[in-house]
Amino acid sequence: ANDDVATATDTDTDTLPTLSFDGQLFGPFGICRGDCSTDEDCTDGLVCFTRFDESVPGCAGEAVDDINYCILASAASNGEEGAVDIVDDTDSVADTVAVDTAEPSDGPTSSPTAAPTVTEEEETRDDGDFTFASDRKIDWDAIIEDARYDCPSATADGLTLFDYRSEAGDVDLRLGEASGLAASRRNPHIIYTHEDYKDLNEFYAIDTRTGSIVGDFALNGATNVDWEDMAVGPGPEKGASYIYIGDIGDNWEKRANIVIYRVKEPSVDADGVASKQYISEWDKLTLTYHDGSSHNSEAFFFDPTNQLFYIIRKESGKMWRTPTKWGSGDAFMTLVRDTDITSNPNQVIVGADMSSDGREILVKYYGTVRYYCREAGESMTQILSTVEPVELPYTREPRGEAVAFAASREEGYYTLSENSGAISDQPLYHYARLMD
């Protein structure tokens, strides 16, 4: 028997076990320790208590925001609570990286229709076990150059920009740890997601009208060390639309490098039935941090105006970027230190997305979603480090890590959570845009 459990079984006494989180992200965890995701992360006799802002039953002391703790099953059912306060979720690893102030570009050259401009062109190409058919060509230059809208004022209320959430549909329970989210620019009513563990090298297509999984795609030979986020955008072939999957997580901060996978968007029938299809043609971008260090990142976004990737450290908001555009085939790059995102006390960054015109950015925390808007000529560093973001309407999910703009600007944005051991499907939520 685990000694921690044996010494804490009598919760009728005045002494409760003290909450503890030392930065370890893999179990098994003992009584009142975190951070757990499911009951399997806890030692025998304990269950994972998924928190929102409430105190932790059967435990005393201070709880770290967004951290889940292992507790006795009896405490969970009886609703026993210890005295819990929220404390700063401080950066567990000191960073002493000098900031590279060189700017890759000044962003859009005009106030860039966020809805993708497409032309239909029939093409059939065999790709191993998967066939790309009826390619839908995307005019990315037109998306960036032709949109006309003003950014909201710095004092704007998020409720004037986006509505409260509505449920788009329930996503199949098979997606236990949905982490990334990105809207298709090629297939109407489709949004992509993936899981961040189980060694699954797959991504899924979801019908945004129903939540149904209508596509299951495996990257032959790819590895899922810790897939955390994804994006859709332009790439080396003009008119094509690509999916980018960020294998960027590093809970123990020991990885020598991280990886971004690139694959052309497949053709998806939103009214079809999902059957697993295998894709053999994909590219791999291997990345290292310029000082040779390791960092745990769960969020990245892709800027279509310069085709650079921006990777955000989970605990601190420190951001790195690729130094140059990724060309054809596999590549290696050293990430450049960029800036720090304006802080959001007590919370960690778990997801991000950039609009298809390169002007709007969403940054996702467990408890909030923050919105940034870039005017013509403004750099990414200026926006994320100096501009106060707008906090958008968002209802906290059990373990919500995924956020993405809809393909059309008018549609707003979506969120999806891990199911955290739920026994029912997890909703895909939609936040409709209210104004330009």
Side-chain angles (χ1 to χ4, degrees), residues 143-177:
I143 295 171
I144 295 168
E145 295 171 2
D146 294 347
R148 296 290 185 270
Y149 58 87
D150 295 324
C151 288
S153 69
T155 59
D157 183 341
L159 286 172
T160 66
L161 305 179
F162 296 87
D163 201 355
Y164 289 108
R165 76 180 186 184
S166 62
E167 189 173 320
D170 287 333
V171 180
D172 196 308
L173 188 61
R174 81 181 90 163
L175 286 177
E177 296 226 4

Side-chain angles (χ1 to χ4, degrees), residues 239-262:
S241 183
Y242 293 86
I243 298 171
Y244 297 95
I245 301 174
D247 190 352
I248 58 176
D250 189 6
N251 290 323
W252 288 331
E253 298 191 334
K254 293 182 178 180
R255 295 180 65 174
N257 55 62
I258 56 177
V259 169
I260 294 176
Y261 292 100
R262 177 177 65 195

